[in-house]
Amino acid sequence: MQSEKKSVSLVLPLDVYQKICILAQQSNRSTAGYIRQVLICHLRCLDAGVSYPPGLL
């Protein structure tokens, strides 16, 4: 059974978008797929209690 999904739109600075596009190509993912994977990974880290270096966020 598939989970419900919600579409999201966001605006990124051009330099960030270009970096994401390069990283997506390197990992054989679409840009949207790469962003989705990064967000999922981020949420898993938060659930695991992984903290960030000071000033990162």
Side-chain angles (χ1 to χ4, degrees):
M1 181 179 205
Q2 292 185 359
S3 62
E4 292 186 43
K5 296 180 181 181
K6 177 69 177 163
S7 179
V8 177
S9 175
L10 63 119
V11 177
L12 298 171
L14 183 59
D15 62 324
V16 172
Y17 175 77
Q18 290 170 334
K19 289 178 185 178
I20 290 172
C21 286
I22 291 168
L23 293 168
Q25 287 176 347
Q26 291 173 351
S27 64
N28 295 318
R29 296 181 184 276
S30 66
T31 302
Y34 184 81
I35 292 170
R36 186 171 33 256
Q37 190 64 32
V38 168
L39 289 172
I40 290 168
C41 182
H42 173 71
L43 292 174
R44 286 180 182 160
C45 287
L46 290 176
D47 288 343
V50 175
S51 60
Y52 295 95
L56 181 60
L57 295 178

